[in-house]
Amino acid sequence: MRITGEPFGSVDGTDVTRWTLQRGAVRVRVLTYGGIVQSVETPDRDGVPDGVALGFPDLEGYLKRPEPYFGALVGRYANRIADGTFALDGTEYRLALNGGPHSLHGGERGFDKRVWDAEEVEGGVRLSRVSPDGEEGFPGRLEVSATYTLDDDGALRIGYRAETDAPTVVALTNHTYWNLGGGGHELRIAAERYTPTDATGVPTGELAEVAGTELDFRTGRPLTIPLDHNFVLDHGGPAAELYAPETGRTVTVETTEPGLQVYASGDLGGIALETQHFPDSPNRPEFPSTVLRPGDVYASATVFRFGTR
């Protein structure tokens, strides 16, 4: 296992570091800017390594084009909060409307646009920062960390942790876009249901069956349609698997999260598998709660396992 850090430019006078984690044939690069997974390299079925995650070669690329959230650590709240408002303990909070009529991925300057502190840990690197009370409209001083490690088998594990001094809402994710090479991908998702949305992308509150719809990926099939949907995970096994028949590469996703947002856009050429709580949960008491209170700990983990077949 090799862990190294190197300068990678600066943002507003704050230095950015690129961390490289390498175990065997798997190499992952993580930036302290935005907690971004800049690159992932894994071998194909013939043992030839290549990049499988979309990203820019330099910091300037991320600064000039932040909107795809390539590889980013997203927070305080991943996905959408309807109308940029939510109520908590009788107080209404207003957030930036940066996703059409809604708040998206933490607001105008979310966690993906901050420079994080970093420390080397066993098997990887831990990024941390303090999000002050009122940042992007969210209540509470939030102490948050994201730890990126490579397991003995080369799997990328991301562990999130947060504590607050006042009631707030928290939902974090990683926004890496995967492209495993070749002419197309097959996708399997362990989900019998999904959360339908209105025309603006926020859930209606229904948990609909995927059976008989184009969103039924339970047995795995070619991904031929654009996607931007949250799936309600069954759990009891891997959440999803992405497979590229031409190269043989696979990415298998395991998570403690209740949902998986799949975003597949032909324009970008990659597929984001965002483990998460459901969109607009602060306004949907019937959804799994995203409320974090003083004395409690937000803890979440997602593993990306790389293989071939």
Side-chain angles (χ1 to χ4, degrees):
M1 178 77 197
R2 288 183 53 211
I3 305 171
T4 58
E6 60 184 324
F8 200 71
S10 65
V11 177
D12 297 331
T14 301
D15 292 338
V16 174
T17 301
R18 178 170 72 177
W19 289 84
T20 299
L21 318 179
Q22 183 156 5
R23 189 184 292 274
V26 176
R27 184 171 69 175
V28 176
R29 284 177 163 154
V30 178
L31 308 182
T32 55
Y33 176 72
I36 289 169
V37 175
Q38 183 204 15
S39 65
V40 179
E41 296 176 23
T42 67
D44 63 11
R45 64 163 64 94
D46 297 320
V48 179
D50 201 0
V52 296
L54 302 188
F56 296 108
D58 52 34
L59 184 59
E60 192 66 21
Y62 296 98
L63 299 178
K64 285 185 174 179
R65 195 181 177 196
E67 67 277 359
Y69 299 91
F70 282 148
L73 195 174
V74 176
R76 275 191 199 193
Y77 198 92
N79 219 307
R80 294 169 178 85
I81 294 179
D83 302 319
T85 63
F86 67 94
L88 181 58
D89 295 344
T91 300
E92 184 177 89
Y93 297 94
R94 295 186 175 275
L95 315 172
L97 302 181
N98 65 312
H102 310 303
S103 177
L104 176 67
H105 289 339
E108 293 177 340
R109 194 179 174 208
F111 287 179
D112 61 294
K113 299 175 184 69
R114 308 283 178 171
V115 179
W116 294 62
D117 296 328
E119 60 177 326
E120 184 176 334
V121 297
E122 184 176 356
V125 61
R126 177 181 295 120
L127 304 185
S128 60
R129 70 178 299 263
V130 174
S131 175
D133 178 34
E135 184 173 79
E136 290 296 320
F138 290 95
R141 177 183 185 273
L142 192 74
E143 297 183 8
V144 58
S145 67
T147 303
Y148 302 72
T149 56
L150 289 182
D151 291 351
D152 290 343
D153 61 356
L156 173 60
R157 180 181 299 268
I158 306 178
Y160 307 94
R161 180 182 174 89
E163 296 181 83
T164 183
D165 67 354
T168 191
V169 295
V170 182
L172 308 180
T173 194
N174 173 266
H175 211 295
T176 295
Y177 291 82
W178 303 98
N179 186 323
L180 306 183
H185 292 81
E186 295 179 7
L187 178 64
R188 178 174 56 82
I189 307 173
E192 294 185 358
R193 297 175 297 169
Y194 72 103
T195 53
T197 63
D198 64 18
T200 66
V202 296
T204 63
E206 179 187 4
L207 301 183
E209 300 285 336
V210 300
T213 76
E214 63 181 3
L215 300 180
D216 190 350
F217 290 92
R218 289 175 294 174
T219 59
R221 61 184 178 83
L223 181 54
T224 58
I225 59 172
L227 283 181
D228 192 9
H229 294 83
N230 172 64
F231 292 83
V232 180
L233 296 175
D234 297 337
H235 285 289
E241 181 188 70
L242 189 66
Y243 169 57
E246 190 169 318
T247 65
R249 290 190 182 91
T250 62
V251 173
T252 303
V253 183
E254 302 167 5
T255 187
T256 59
E257 290 294 288
L260 177 73
Q261 184 85 15
V262 180
Y263 181 65
S265 167
D267 293 340
L268 293 174
I271 300 153
L273 303 173
E274 306 162 59
T275 59
Q276 59 167 28
H277 269 62
F278 302 167
D280 200 32
S281 290
N283 294 310
R284 290 288 178 180
E286 67 271 30
F287 286 175
S289 177
T290 56
V291 174
L292 180 65
R293 298 187 179 278
D296 294 336
V297 176
Y298 171 94
S300 173
T302 292
V303 180
F304 299 99
R305 297 195 183 278
F306 310 111
T308 58
R309 67 171 191 255

